[in-house]
Amino acid sequence: MTPHFKIAIVGAGFAGLGMAIRLKAQGETSFVVLEKAGRVGGTWRDNTYPGAACDVQSHLYWFSFDAQPNWSRIYPLQPEILANIDAMVARHDLLPNIRLNAELGSAAWDERDSVWRLQLRDGRMLEANIVITAWGQLNRPSIPDFSGVANFAGAWFHSAQWNHAVQLQGKRVASIGNGPSAAQFIPEIAEVAGHLTVFQRSPNYIVPRQDRAYTEEELAQFATGPARAESRELYYQEHEGWFPAFYPGTERAAEFEALARAHLEEQVADPVLRERLWPRYPLGCKRLIISDDFLPAMARPNVTLVTEHIECIEEKGVRTKDGMLHDVDVIVYGTGFDTLQFLGAGDITGRGGRSLRQAWHAAPRAYLGMNIAGFPNLFMLYGPNTNLGHNSILLMLECQFEYILQAVNAIDQHDGRPLDVRSDALATFNRRLQNDLQATAWAGSCISWYKTADNLITNNWSGSVEDYRARTSQLDLNDYEFVEAPPQTARAG
Ligand SMILES: Cc1cc2nc3c(=O)[nH]c(=O)nc-3n(C[C@H](O)[C@H](O)[C@H](O)COP(=O)(O)OP(=O)(O)OC[C@H]3O[C@@H](n4cnc5c(N)ncnc54)[C@H](O)[C@@H]3O)c2cc1C
């Protein structure tokens, strides 16, 4: 017998785990969380590079419906986040619902039986009435298509697959990339490496971080009483207040630009290096970097910044377009993730045998980032256009959990009839969204993980968290239809 569940969640990072907690709190018992890896944690399981940390303050990087951990510092480091995720799973007794080493390979909607038939990569099958994808936007490491990557004789790895067996002490190391992950590991490598060469495609705006461990008194205050909730609310309002900076030409954008410029001038004495580290695109177009140690690391005598673009990788190192070979022992690819596919599994097939790849041939799009017309009872967490440049992703996930719970209730109230978003509702939503996005910095002249080569912004939400909360607070059934099962054809015999 094929195991059957009412709900299958795909992925056990913050999204899948938070959804599971909320379903359980509503009394749902028939659900399973499929996780391809051997343990939970998603981003915070995979990214173990030196210096890995969250860029949102700890009090804001947690679910409001769960007990707040007593965080040790303002910005949490990866080991503390992962330990707190493990504690959350134990607190909510989620392990019985989680299947580890269970990678979804494909899912197909069976119109006759109104059920999703799921196939795992190892061949196992299961079925579910409702599928909720929680496979993340930053989960599939990407290395650019340089020729010769495999010819390199030294050690090489991606930042999300850090090889801790490779010693960097005294070595000549290359960091290809200078984005948010690289900005965290570059200062750590620079401390120990003989020499570090940083290959930069384009510079970033960098603003102060001001991280520190909490004092004993603060920890005591946060452990009891309202101090932690007050701290969370303050950070929330502060981040929401950043949002106008993502509109070029505003006062807020100018303030942030001035902050980044002052930070650069304070931290880098060499005027030539400064100019090479100063971006020439609208603030926010690429992810803002929050760091106090990246710029000082770039100014160290054992660090070289290379802005010439890469031609290829060779046995001995990295050759740039000017013909120069940069001899190195180790290459670290801080080159980010495949962020534009939004597909964590091979094939998702909806009504009429149409695949998600076909539905998204132009670009991924989903109503409120969650529903795609023709794919009944399929919901996405952290789907297309739900990423933020200014605030905690967990806040967006919380809106999605509550919205999906409303949808599950609506399905229950309609005798389990499958729910599909109307294609005209999706089209109208997407047209407005893309129109609103055109005024933001993300539409500016930079290459970023938020958009396609044609400048179509597929990753970011167009507004603040408040805007998203308002849009998702009430499920509007006018934008959906309950699908009729097709008439059963008489079987021969
Ligand atoms: C280095 C780094 C730093 C970040 N910093 C911040 C920050 O400061 N603030 C912020 O708000 N966000 C940050 N993010 C974004 C972060 O990804 C989100 O905050 C959040 O962790 C996303 O959770 P998720 O569950 O949606 O995705 P993930 O954490 O990526 O989890 C997805 C899970 O799905 C599993 N999976 C994928 N495909 C399948 C499949 N086919 N079958 C079964 N399982 C599958 C994966 O193994 C993984 O466990 C950061 C991301 C990275 C990579």
Side-chain angles (χ1 to χ4, degrees):
M1 275 271 289
T2 307
H4 179 97
F5 298 89
K6 177 173 168 187
I7 300 169
I9 298 170
V10 187
F14 267 116
L17 296 171
M19 188 76 244
I21 293 171
R22 293 297 296 127
L23 284 170
K24 219 174 156 184
Q26 298 299 302
E28 288 291 352
T29 51
S30 176
F31 69 91
V32 66
V33 183
L34 305 173
E35 170 53 56
K36 71 176 174 186
R39 62 163 301 172
V40 302
T43 293
W44 304 104
R45 172 200 64 225
D46 294 342
N47 290 274
T48 61
Y49 58 78
C54 189
D55 284 338
V56 167
Q57 295 88 346
S58 47
H59 290 161
L60 195 54
Y61 198 67
W62 201 252
F63 291 130
S64 63
F65 50 75
D66 186 48
Q68 268 272 358
N70 208 4
W71 297 100
S72 66
R73 55 190 310 113
I74 297 179
Y75 288 93
L77 296 171
Q78 173 269 336
E80 189 171 9
I81 303 174
L82 189 60
N84 281 327
I85 291 177
D86 285 340
M88 176 175 81
V89 168
R91 193 161 48 245
H92 294 275
D93 192 23
L94 292 182
L95 276 182
N97 295 86
I98 298 174
R99 304 284 179 274
L100 298 173
N101 302 309
E103 178 173 2
L104 181 71
S106 63
W109 176 247
D110 182 327
E111 302 197 43
R112 209 189 64 164
D113 293 342
S114 293
V115 78
W116 281 100
R117 304 214 181 273
L118 310 178
Q119 176 152 35
L120 305 189
R121 287 261 183 232
D122 60 14
R124 282 178 289 168
M125 298 289 301
L126 56 119
E127 52 188 45
N129 301 100
I130 297 170
V131 171
I132 303 174
T133 68
W135 51 43
Q137 290 194 13
L138 302 165
N139 189 254
R140 292 161 285 283
S142 158
I143 293 184
D145 202 9
F146 300 126
S147 76
V149 168
N151 296 342
F152 181 58
W156 59 274
F157 48 85
H158 187 276
S159 61
Q161 294 161 336
W162 198 272
N163 185 346
H164 292 276
V166 176
Q167 294 301 316
L168 301 180
Q169 277 73 7
K171 297 268 173 65
R172 296 167 306 167
V173 183
S175 168
I176 299 191
N178 62 329
S181 296
Q184 292 183 344
F185 66 68
I186 282 170
E188 305 284 329
I189 299 181
E191 278 285 323
V192 297
H195 195 87
L196 172 64
T197 309
V198 176
F199 293 86
Q200 169 185 287
R201 191 171 56 178
S202 59
N204 297 296
Y205 287 94
I206 301 178
V207 293
R209 187 173 183 89
Q210 296 173 316
D211 184 28
R212 64 175 172 78
Y214 283 124
T215 62
E216 288 298 321
E217 297 86 77
E218 284 172 318
L219 288 175
Q221 267 181 0
F222 289 140
T224 56
R228 209 157 37 188
E230 282 166 12
S231 161
R232 179 185 172 91
E233 181 60 22
L234 278 177
Y235 287 134
Y236 173 65
Q237 294 302 343
E238 182 192 326
H239 282 277
E240 282 292 84
W242 288 16
F243 185 65
F246 291 79
Y247 289 88
T250 58
E251 229 175 85
R252 206 76 178 107
E255 269 174 46
F256 264 82
E257 204 172 308
L259 182 69
R261 187 71 209 185
H263 198 41
L264 177 66
E265 307 228 334
E266 198 182 302
Q267 295 201 309
V268 178
D270 174 359
V272 176
L273 179 60
R274 249 189 233 157
E275 290 321 302
R276 297 172 73 211
L277 289 166
W278 184 245
R280 280 165 181 82
Y281 53 77
L283 179 126
C285 185
K286 282 166 54 128
R287 193 172 171 86
L288 214 55
I289 288 183
I290 302 165
S291 172
D292 290 335
D293 53 5
F294 171 73
L295 291 170
M298 295 306 297
R300 288 174 65 116
N302 71 332
V303 176
T304 304
L305 173 67
V306 175
T307 53
E308 192 67 38
H309 287 195
I310 294 172
E311 175 68 31
C312 62
I313 309 294
E314 296 183 4
E315 188 186 345
K316 286 180 175 302
V318 182
R319 190 172 296 278
T320 40
K321 294 229 184 261
D322 55 3
M324 195 164 161
L325 176 67
H326 304 265
D327 253 330
V328 289
D329 305 309
V330 180
I331 300 178
V332 180
Y333 288 93
T335 43
F337 300 86
D338 168 6
T339 57
L340 303 174
Q341 303 288 326
F342 290 90
L343 266 175
D347 235 338
I348 308 295
T349 313
R351 289 164 79 179
R354 197 167 66 124
S355 77
L356 200 45
R357 275 181 217 283
Q358 285 170 312
W360 281 352
H361 68 278
R365 61 193 65 189
Y367 178 77
L368 295 170
M370 289 183 273
N371 295 116
I372 309 116
F375 296 80
N377 284 3
L378 179 75
F379 298 87
M380 295 197 141
L381 292 166
Y382 201 15
N385 296 104
T386 60
N387 184 58
L388 299 172
H390 75 290
N391 213 331
S392 169
I393 295 307
L394 272 56
L395 303 166
M396 299 294 276
L397 291 177
E398 286 198 19
C399 296
Q400 292 157 20
F401 300 154
E402 300 316 306
Y403 188 88
I404 293 172
L405 288 178
Q406 289 185 46
V408 171
N409 283 337
I411 293 166
D412 287 347
Q413 283 159 12
H414 288 76
D415 302 322
R417 275 175 62 198
L419 192 64
D420 197 2
V421 71
R422 288 170 35 171
S423 54
D424 58 333
L426 169 57
T428 306
F429 168 79
N430 200 56
R431 205 167 37 247
R432 287 193 188 138
L433 173 88
Q434 288 300 333
N435 190 46
D436 291 349
L437 283 166
Q438 285 317 303
T440 66
W442 305 309
S445 55
C446 71
I447 301 171
S448 87
W449 64 263
Y450 303 145
K451 56 188 183 183
T452 64
D454 310 331
N455 231 21
L456 186 76
I457 301 162
T458 48
N459 291 64
N460 284 8
W461 169 238
S462 57
S464 63
V465 175
E466 275 317 314
D467 294 332
Y468 190 68
R469 193 170 284 155
R471 281 304 310 270
T472 53
S473 63
Q474 194 60 48
L475 173 80
D476 184 355
L477 283 178
N478 291 319
D479 286 341
Y480 290 83
E481 57 180 340
F482 284 99
V483 179
E484 296 285 351
Q488 308 271 317
T489 43
R491 288 174 198 219

